Amino acid sequence: MSLNDNKFIAVIPARKGSKGLANKNIFMVNGRPLIDYTIQAAKNSNYIDEIYITTDDSFILDYAKKNNINFIERPKFFATDQASANDVLQHFLSEMPEDLISKDPYLVYLQPTSPLRNADHIDDAIEYLFEKKAKKCLPLWWN
C-alpha cells in the first residue's frame, strides 16, 4: 500500500565487518539471524513496497537470495567503519534499478541492529511523514 501513489523502498544496510561484534548482522537471536527481525518488520509493513539489502557479506547475500529479498552487493569501500550511512545510500542510489528510480520512491533506512523495531513503528513513521507533509523523517542520530 502506498500513500499518495508513492513507493516505499526499505534499504537494509548489513555489512560484514564490525568494530564491536564480528558478524553481528547474522548473530543468532532466539534462533533467527539478527537481520531477519528487520526483514520481517519490513515485510509486515503496510507501506513497504520492496526490500533491498546492501551488503558485502556472502552469507547475507545467500540469505537474501534464499528469502527472495532484493540485494545490492556493496563494494568494500562502502563497507568500512569510515563509510557513513549517507555513503551507503549514495552507493545504493547509484545501483538502484532504473524502473525504481523513475518512481521517485521514499527510501526507508532500516538498520538490522534494531530488532525491537517492528512494522507498526515503520508504519507510524511513514504516516507521520505524510501527516506533517515532510520530505524526510530522520532519527536523532542521523549524521
Side-chain angles (χ1 to χ4, degrees):
M1 178 173 131
S2 295
L3 294 175
N4 298 341
D5 295 323
N6 293 98
K7 297 290 181 195
F8 293 90
I9 308 300
V11 179
I12 303 172
R15 69 186 178 102
K16 182 177 178 116
S18 172
K19 286 188 279 190
L21 180 61
N23 300 314
K24 68 182 173 192
N25 294 314
I26 57 173
F27 189 78
M28 297 301 279
V29 178
N30 289 331
R32 294 166 49 194
L34 184 62
I35 193 171
D36 190 58
Y37 290 87
T38 296
I39 292 168
Q40 294 310 313
K43 281 184 174 183
N44 291 327
S45 167
N46 291 317
Y47 301 111
I48 299 295
D49 296 297
E50 292 191 47
I51 302 169
Y52 277 84
I53 294 174
T54 170
T55 188
D56 64 324
D57 188 322
S58 60
F59 179 88
I60 294 173
L61 286 171
D62 288 341
Y63 192 80
K65 290 174 191 175
K66 288 177 190 169
N67 289 281
N68 295 316
I69 304 294
N70 300 309
F71 61 89
I72 291 180
E73 266 189 85
R74 194 180 335 161
K76 296 289 182 205
F77 175 78
F78 293 111
T80 65
D81 289 339
Q82 290 74 36
S84 69
N86 287 334
D87 294 332
V88 172
L89 284 173
Q90 286 295 329
H91 175 258
F92 175 79
L93 289 169
S94 74
E95 298 292 322
M96 198 165 108
E98 284 294 322
D99 64 317
L100 280 183
I101 292 171
S102 67
K103 295 174 186 170
D104 194 24
Y106 282 89
L107 300 181
V108 182
Y109 191 82
L110 301 173
Q111 293 183 302
T113 52
S114 299
L116 300 180
R117 180 225 318 100
N118 61 38
D120 290 337
H121 298 128
I122 296 168
D123 291 349
D124 287 349
I126 291 170
E127 289 166 6
Y128 183 80
L129 176 85
F130 275 83
E131 175 187 316
K132 297 298 181 184
K133 297 182 172 116
K135 299 279 186 201
K136 59 186 172 184
C137 180
L138 300 174
L140 295 175
W141 56 261
W142 194 268
N143 56 1

